[in-house]
Amino acid sequence: MARGVYIHIPFCHQICNYCDFNKVFFKNQPVDEYIEALGREMELTVEQMPEAFVNVETIFLGGGTPTALSATQIEKLLALIAKHIPLSNVKEFSSEANPDELTVEKLQALFNGGVNRLSMGVQSFDQDLLKKIGRTHSNEHVYRTIQNAKDVGFTNISIDLMYGLPGQTMEQWRHTLEKALALKLPHYSAYSLIVEPKTIFYIQYAKGKLNLPTEDLEADMYGVLMDTMEAHGVHQYEISNFAHEGFESTHNKIYWDNDEYAGFGAGAHGYLRGVRYSNVAPIKKYIELVMEGHRPLLQEHSVTKDEKLEEQMFLGLRKSAGVTHGEFEQKFGQSMASVYGETIPKLQREGLLETDAQGVRLTRKGRFVGNEVFQRFLIEDE
C-alpha cells in the first residue's frame, strides 16, 4: 500500500553541473502534453490497483524542477493530482523549487493547489561557488523568495545545502551554514557532492580538471555541519537531514522506513505490491506509451525476502533513531539478532553501531562511513 506519491517533472531552465537526474532543457519541450500524460498515468495506475492508494500520506513533486512550469501549468498539474489521487489522508504535500524562478504567482498556485511544504535548492551562499556548480540564483533571490513564500502562507520551508564542492574551503562552508541558519527555517538538508556519470562534473573529473576537497576536509565539513546544527537546536534525524521538532520530512521517512510509494513520470521509480519499478526516461516515449493506455514501465523487480531484510537495514540506519527491534520483528516475524547475530556485535566493537532495548543505530563515528556500514548488512556477508 502506497504511503507516498512521487511525481517527476523533468524540465529545467538551467542544468546544474552535478545533476544526474532525468532532466531536459525546458525550451521546445512538450510540457503541456507531459502534464496530460502524468494525469493519464495516475489514472491508469489507480484503476489497476485502487487499494494501493487509499491511505496516501504524502505527495512530492521533484525533478528536474517543478517550478520551471508556469503558474497555469502548475495549476493544471495539481488539479490532475487532486482528480486521480485520494487526498483525504495527505499530511504533507511538497514541491522542490529554484529560488530564482519561484514567482509570487507560482507560489500562490502551489499553495492554492494544496502544496504545504517547499524544498528549495540553495546549495551555497557563496556566489562564486554557485557559478561553479551551474546555479543561476543569487542570495537576494533566496531571501526574497522565502519572504514571498511566508507572505503567501507557507510555514514549512526547507533548503538544500551542499559541501565538498570544487574549490570549497571550510571558511566558505561555515559562512554558508551561518547564512542558512540565520533564516531560522524549520528544516535543512545538506549533502556532500557525489560526482555522478553523465554529468558535467564527471567529464571535468575524468580530464583531471575538477579540484575537489580532500576526503579529510570533506569529513571535517560533515562534522562541522552536525555540530553547528546541534548548537542551533536543529536536531539531526537522518544522515543528511536536520529539523526542528515536528518538521521532519514525512515523505523521505517513507523511503527510510522501507515502505511502499508510487512513482509517476518519465524516469520515476516506485515500490508497490512488493515490486520495485522504474519508468521509461525519454519524454516522448513516456507520453506515447501512456497516451496509448499503457503504464510506461521500463523494468520491474519483485523484491526477495533477503533484499527486504537488507533494505530495512540500509535505509533504516540512515535515520538517527535507527532500526527498532519492534518494527523489524513486525515486518519479518524474526528478530534482528536471528538474522544479523554476527554483524551487529562486530560493528559495535568497531564503534560504528550502538544497540539498546529499543533498537540499533549508527554512532557518530558510524555516520562518517555509513555506506561501509550498510554494506556489512548484505545477507551473503552475514
Side-chain angles (χ1 to χ4, degrees):
M1 190 171 293
R3 282 184 60 199
V5 169
Y6 173 82
I7 297 169
H8 191 70
I9 309 298
F11 308 110
C12 293
H13 290 297
Q14 173 68 28
I15 304 296
C16 300
N17 296 344
Y18 53 83
C19 181
D20 71 329
F21 293 119
N22 186 40
K23 79 283 180 186
V24 294
F25 279 111
F26 188 92
K27 191 175 181 180
N28 299 322
Q29 292 294 330
V31 180
D32 293 316
E33 292 88 342
Y34 181 81
I35 293 170
E36 289 290 343
L38 276 173
R40 182 64 176 137
E41 186 193 1
M42 287 183 254
E43 182 181 22
L44 289 168
T45 308
V46 175
E47 282 179 354
Q48 183 175 322
M49 51 182 92
E51 81 291 344
F53 292 88
V54 295
N55 287 312
V56 172
E57 297 175 31
T58 73
I59 298 175
F60 193 99
L61 306 180
T65 317
T67 53
L69 304 180
S70 69
T72 300
Q73 289 166 337
I74 289 171
E75 289 170 354
K76 176 65 174 176
L77 172 63
L78 296 177
L80 287 169
I81 294 170
K83 180 179 180 181
H84 298 299
I85 305 295
L87 301 180
S88 58
N89 294 316
V90 171
K91 306 167 189 171
E92 180 185 279
F93 195 152
S94 303
S95 178
E96 291 182 344
N98 277 346
D100 54 341
E101 59 190 26
L102 195 49
T103 63
V104 173
E105 188 182 17
K106 291 182 184 181
L107 281 164
Q108 199 68 62
L110 288 165
F111 191 76
N112 292 347
V115 174
N116 59 16
R117 181 177 185 272
L118 294 176
S119 178
M120 288 175 43
V122 171
Q123 319 311 1
S124 176
F125 283 90
D126 186 286
Q127 201 64 50
D128 290 336
L129 277 176
L130 287 172
K131 289 177 183 175
K132 281 185 183 179
I133 65 177
R135 302 292 289 177
T136 57
H137 70 265
S138 66
N139 291 353
E140 182 54 39
H141 284 125
V142 176
Y143 301 140
R144 185 170 63 245
T145 301
I146 288 175
Q147 187 57 56
N148 287 341
K150 290 178 178 178
D151 291 344
V152 164
F154 285 99
T155 56
N156 194 351
I157 301 171
S158 175
I159 60 173
D160 288 354
L161 305 172
M162 293 183 73
Y163 59 96
L165 298 173
Q168 188 179 29
T169 65
M170 180 63 83
E171 182 182 2
Q172 287 172 315
W173 178 229
R174 288 184 186 275
H175 175 262
T176 279
L177 290 174
E178 178 186 329
K179 293 291 187 183
L181 286 161
L183 294 169
K184 299 188 182 302
L185 298 175
H187 189 283
Y188 298 88
S189 298
Y191 305 98
S192 63
L193 173 68
I194 299 175
V195 179
E196 301 281 9
K198 300 180 182 178
T199 64
I200 293 171
F201 274 170
Y202 187 81
I203 296 168
Q204 293 175 355
Y205 180 77
K207 293 179 179 178
K209 295 182 178 180
L210 198 64
N211 176 30
L212 296 174
T214 64
E215 286 186 9
D216 286 345
L217 177 54
E218 186 176 314
D220 288 344
M221 287 177 171
Y222 184 51
V224 166
L225 166 68
M226 289 192 288
D227 292 342
T228 304
M229 288 290 176
E230 184 66 31
H232 285 77
V234 190
H235 73 275
Q236 183 175 18
Y237 70 99
E238 189 267 349
I239 284 179
S240 302
N241 286 272
F242 306 79
H244 288 287
E245 196 68 39
F247 286 93
E248 300 86 353
S249 170
T250 306
H251 185 83
N252 286 339
K253 277 187 172 181
I254 291 171
Y255 302 145
W256 305 322
D257 289 341
N258 199 25
D259 287 335
E260 297 194 347
Y261 62 95
F264 297 111
H269 291 246
Y271 181 28
L272 292 172
R273 291 177 169 175
V275 176
R276 292 199 181 275
Y277 66 90
S278 60
N279 283 347
V280 295
I283 291 168
K284 290 183 179 177
K285 181 65 174 177
Y286 167 82
I287 294 172
E288 178 184 314
L289 284 170
V290 171
M291 299 316 284
E292 288 176 354
H294 307 292
R295 287 184 64 202
L297 298 174
L298 175 66
Q299 57 185 11
E300 296 179 279
H301 172 69
S302 294
V303 183
T304 66
K305 173 75 176 294
D306 281 355
E307 287 169 337
K308 288 178 182 178
L309 289 165
E310 293 167 351
E311 290 172 353
Q312 190 72 21
M313 303 307 292
F314 293 171
L315 298 167
L317 283 172
R318 292 189 62 90
K319 300 178 293 182
S320 297
V323 181
T324 70
H325 297 300
E327 67 184 346
F328 192 95
E329 291 181 22
Q330 184 179 4
K331 276 193 173 184
F332 303 110
Q334 55 192 127
S335 68
M336 262 189 280
S338 70
V339 183
Y340 294 111
E342 294 181 16
T343 298
I344 291 174
K346 282 181 184 176
L347 289 167
Q348 275 186 279
R349 290 192 293 272
E350 293 170 31
L352 301 175
L353 274 190
E354 59 183 30
T355 67
D356 56 24
Q358 293 299 310
V360 179
R361 66 197 65 83
L362 292 176
T363 61
R364 180 183 171 95
K365 179 182 176 182
R367 291 176 190 172
F368 285 90
V369 290
N371 288 336
E372 294 175 29
V373 175
F374 303 154
Q375 273 195 306
R376 303 273 286 277
F377 285 93
L378 292 170
I379 298 294
E380 59 186 37
D381 288 352
E382 171 68 21

